[in-house]
Amino acid sequence: MEDILNQQKKEGTVAKTIENQTAKIPSDTFLWAALGAMGLSLALQCMGKKHVSLFLGQWAAPFLLFGVYNKIVKVEGND
C-alpha cells in the first residue's frame, strides 16, 4: 500500500523542471507583473483602447496565481 502512495506522489520530469525553474524567480516578480498589468490596463482604458485594456487587465489574475504556485513550491518543495 505504501508503494502505491509513493508512486502517486512522484512528479513527472516536466513538472520537476517547471518547479525547479519557477523556484528561482523571486515571489515579488509575480506581484509586480500583476500590478503592472493592471496599471497598463488602466492607462489603455484612459486612452480609449478598450479591447486591448480588457485583454491586458485579465493578465493580473494568472500572474497572482503563478505567484501563489511559486510560493507553494518554495515552501513545500518538490520531490
Side-chain angles (χ1 to χ4, degrees):
M1 182 72 174
E2 192 171 313
D3 289 337
I4 293 171
L5 292 175
N6 286 336
Q7 287 176 352
Q8 291 175 347
K9 289 184 180 180
K10 289 187 178 181
E11 296 285 345
T13 306
V14 174
K16 282 184 182 180
T17 303
I18 291 171
E19 288 176 359
N20 287 334
Q21 294 303 316
T22 56
K24 296 176 186 176
I25 301 171
S27 299
D28 288 356
T29 303
F30 297 105
L31 178 60
W32 286 111
L35 291 173
M38 288 186 275
L40 188 56
S41 176
L42 177 63
L44 288 167
Q45 187 77 25
C46 292
M47 294 185 332
K49 298 183 185 252
K50 183 177 180 180
H51 294 291
V52 178
S53 168
L54 292 174
F55 176 70
L56 289 178
Q58 292 178 356
W59 291 5
F63 282 138
L64 292 172
L65 287 172
F66 291 149
V68 170
Y69 176 77
N70 184 28
K71 190 59 109 178
I72 291 171
V73 168
K74 285 181 178 179
V75 172
E76 295 296 324
N78 56 13
D79 292 337

